[in-house]
Amino acid sequence: MLSKIFRAVILGAPASGKGTISKRIVDKFGFVHISPGDILRLNELNGTELGKKAKTYIDQGILVPDDLVIKLVSGRINEVGNKSYMLDGFPRTVVQARKLNTIDNIDAVLNLDVPHEVIIDRVRGRWIHLPSGRVYNIGFNEPKVPGKDDLTGEKLVQRDDDQPEVVAKRLQVYEEMMKPVLEFYKQHNLVTNFKGNTTAEIWPQVEKFLQDKTKTAVAHCA
Ligand code: AMP
């Protein structure tokens, strides 16, 4: 069997496990991970013109203008060349989705579908050691001493935006923003939903899907 080039978009609400699934796709299938959020933060850190422009938007939690992000992503897609890639955090608007269509042929849109109440519950149990960024989860990754960081013994806190009401609002905002994008891709028959309550449930489905999709028979290529 040979692998063929595959271009995917991954969609998933905040705290849906998209970060973990994306990392596994990179590790297992060698996809290049393209995340405009990461690229923008790096530019901000390096003090580039792009970073300075983007900072004002990122700090307010609003979208960076389409033309800026499109330029960034198309540049990155060009650099990636003949490799499989996965777009994470792009497109976020129909304008971006349409533009992407003119840049490259997307093979699939992977939509992680985790019930909102499950996400709210999961985030409710998330505790953080702020100085190091270490994350603990009540129920499956608990600190040795309740409320204390394992390495330093310092106190753990919950992020303000992890409060249930705030998470519910973030999920609602996400749904409203992504609905037209999802519709756009449904019309193009590109969407596959991966349903589950946990990453453990969702990952095997994603893995099987990509295994099937990225393989072509040797006979075909002989
Ligand atoms: P993320 O890490 O994907 O949550 O992105 C962080 C921030 O970068 C967002 O809040 C936006 O300000 C900006 N950003 C990332 N991706 C996009 C996009 N596709 N369109 C517009 N702004 C974006």
Side-chain angles (χ1 to χ4, degrees):
M1 299 294 225
L2 292 177
S3 290
K4 73 178 185 81
I5 303 296
F6 200 75
R7 307 161 193 91
V9 167
I10 184 161
L11 303 177
S16 62
K18 183 161 64 79
T20 311
I21 297 281
S22 299
K23 184 167 183 315
R24 289 191 190 178
I25 294 175
V26 170
D27 291 348
K28 170 104 198 200
F29 295 95
F31 281 28
V32 178
H33 184 224
I34 304 179
S35 153
D38 285 353
I39 303 173
L40 289 170
R41 275 186 290 275
L42 196 65
N43 272 274
E44 207 181 306
L45 198 72
N46 292 333
T48 67
E49 275 313 304
L50 173 67
K52 280 180 207 155
K53 267 193 212 158
K55 183 174 164 43
T56 43
Y57 300 95
I58 295 176
D59 286 354
Q60 294 175 67
I62 55 174
L63 291 185
V64 168
D66 283 331
D67 53 348
L68 216 144
V69 186
I70 288 165
K71 203 167 141 205
L72 180 91
V73 171
S74 59
R76 189 71 191 103
I77 288 175
N78 265 332
E79 281 167 18
V80 166
N82 247 357
K83 291 194 198 118
S84 294
Y85 65 76
M86 179 183 47
L87 285 165
D88 176 1
F90 184 95
R92 269 173 152 113
T93 64
V94 174
V95 171
Q96 293 177 11
R98 282 192 205 287
K99 188 69 196 177
L100 178 60
N101 246 10
T102 69
I103 298 170
D104 213 346
N105 291 319
I106 294 302
D107 295 291
V109 174
L110 283 62
N111 184 40
L112 309 187
D113 188 356
V114 182
H116 284 192
E117 60 275 17
V118 172
I119 293 181
I120 292 169
D121 228 41
R122 187 187 295 168
V123 170
R124 202 198 301 269
R126 185 153 80 173
W127 289 82
I128 296 183
H129 178 241
L130 275 183
S132 69
R134 274 187 286 281
V135 178
Y136 299 87
N137 297 280
I138 304 307
F140 61 95
N141 170 32
E142 300 200 14
K144 291 185 185 120
V145 178
K148 298 275 164 70
D149 176 49
D150 284 355
L151 294 191
T152 64
E154 288 166 346
K155 85 172 169 34
L156 302 176
V157 296
Q158 288 201 289
R159 275 168 43 172
D160 287 344
D161 58 356
D162 274 354
Q163 302 302 320
E165 319 76 61
V166 183
V167 177
K169 181 74 196 160
R170 280 164 67 202
L171 290 172
Q172 189 195 334
V173 168
Y174 173 83
E175 291 297 333
E176 277 164 19
M177 182 176 68
M178 294 314 290
K179 209 171 163 188
V181 175
L182 208 50
E183 269 315 309
F184 174 85
Y185 282 126
K186 277 184 189 160
Q187 280 163 17
H188 287 78
N189 283 326
L190 285 173
V191 180
T192 303
N193 290 311
F194 298 93
K195 270 181 189 281
N197 288 354
T198 62
T199 300
E201 283 172 27
I202 290 181
W203 170 244
Q205 303 171 43
V206 172
E207 190 179 27
K208 165 114 191 21
F209 174 81
L210 289 178
Q211 261 160 0
D212 292 347
K213 290 281 183 182
T214 56
K215 269 182 206 156
T216 49
V218 171
H220 181 70
C221 304

